[in-house]
Amino acid sequence: LSAAELANLIAKKALSPVEVTEAYLERIDRLDSRLDSYITVCRREALEAARVAEEAVMRGDGLGPLHGVPLGVKDQFETKGILTTAGSTILGEYVPEEDATVVARARAAGAILLGKHNMTEFAAGLGDRFKYGEPKNPWDTTRGTGGSSTGSAIAIAASLCALALGEDTGGSIRMPASLAGIVGVRPSWGLLSRNGVIPICWSMDSAGPMTRTVEDAALLLGAIAGYDPKDPLTAQRSVPDYAHSL
């Protein structure tokens, strides 16, 4: 199911956020030892967030557009209380005190963080060995997927998360998305906050959605876009309803 379909079924009480999260965690356990798309899997935190999400559904609370939908993020994004390595052993013990803005906004929209995706060291170009296992293209495990957001592309292609956040400086969302057969969007610069994104080139870095469908990309982009006072170079303009425009 797409992320949009999952969110719709969860909102209708036809599907449990706990069941969905458990299904993704089981699939990660079964497949990711061969794919190396994750550096860190947040099993305990994800299941607790799923239980909270399910309680909100049962109470009839107002739900965000991504409520109960499992999300993975490139390990370049800082995550509160969760190891953030940027693909490097230099940051092998770095645990941030707050989420990157785009991660915080995805969580506020109801997404459940499953874990942190594998990447090239500090989002640099390919060539050096990956420090946390060599990511493999799920369509042909003798090949990779190119670009530093490779773990996010693999996780989406192999259904190891429903939504993913990547980062693109010179093609690092677009190349892996192409090679893994998924949707990747590098937004206009300034549409998404760079706060909490470990930089490679501050004037070019851009977060962006990596998803199975265009609709899913529109939903995620709409949830995380917009001005952020913690990043004064974000655009001060209203965020369109991207999904409505499809």
Side-chain angles (χ1 to χ4, degrees):
L1 297 176
S2 69
E5 290 169 327
L6 287 174
N8 183 49
L9 290 171
I10 288 169
K12 291 179 177 179
K13 302 181 183 178
L15 198 58
S16 155
V18 174
E19 290 174 338
V20 172
T21 301
E22 287 176 340
Y24 275 102
L25 289 170
E26 185 276 331
R27 192 167 172 84
I28 291 168
D29 289 343
R30 184 157 46 89
L31 298 178
D32 201 51
S33 61
R34 286 179 279 157
L35 299 177
D36 284 317
S37 70
Y38 280 88
I39 293 175
T40 301
V41 178
C42 309
R43 179 179 306 277
R44 178 181 57 81
E45 296 90 343
L47 288 171
E48 177 57 31
R51 284 189 284 268
V52 171
E54 186 165 290
E55 290 167 2
V57 172
M58 299 311 294
R59 286 195 304 267
D61 293 351
L63 306 181
L66 308 178
H67 192 86
V69 178
L71 166 78
V73 304
K74 185 178 182 180
D75 208 22
Q76 191 176 352
F77 295 89
E78 294 183 337
T79 43
K80 183 179 180 179
I82 297 168
L83 179 67
T84 300
T85 70
S88 176
T89 53
I90 293 172
L91 297 181
E93 298 181 358
Y94 176 49
V95 178
E97 295 183 358
E98 64 177 32
D99 286 333
T101 296
V102 289
V103 175
R105 288 178 175 175
R107 291 211 220 211
I112 293 171
L113 182 64
L114 281 184
K116 310 295 292 295
H117 290 150
N118 205 350
M119 59 180 288
T120 57
E121 188 171 22
F122 292 115
L126 297 171
D128 293 339
R129 292 184 64 84
F130 286 82
K131 306 299 183 182
Y132 294 94
E134 197 77 17
K136 300 166 191 70
N137 193 317
W139 303 111
D140 179 351
T141 55
T142 67
R143 302 172 186 267
T145 59
S148 67
S149 300
T150 183
S152 300
I154 292 165
I156 289 294
S159 292
L160 304 182
C161 60
L163 296 166
L165 281 174
E167 182 278 330
D168 191 313
T169 303
S172 289
I173 285 175
R174 292 163 287 169
M175 288 188 292
S178 177
L179 292 171
I182 67 163
V183 177
V185 179
R186 183 216 161 87
S188 300
W189 198 84
L191 182 63
L192 298 182
S193 174
R194 292 168 299 114
N195 174 60
V197 182
I198 295 172
I200 179 170
C201 178
W202 70 269
S203 63
M204 294 174 65
D205 297 343
S206 178
M210 302 181 76
T211 62
R212 291 181 65 191
T213 70
V214 172
E215 182 181 23
D216 289 353
L219 284 173
L220 181 54
L221 185 61
I224 61 178
Y227 176 70
D228 176 17
K230 294 181 179 179
D231 179 0
L233 295 178
T234 43
Q236 298 194 43
R237 64 180 187 184
S238 60
V239 178
D241 184 345
Y242 299 110
H244 181 73
S245 301
L246 293 176

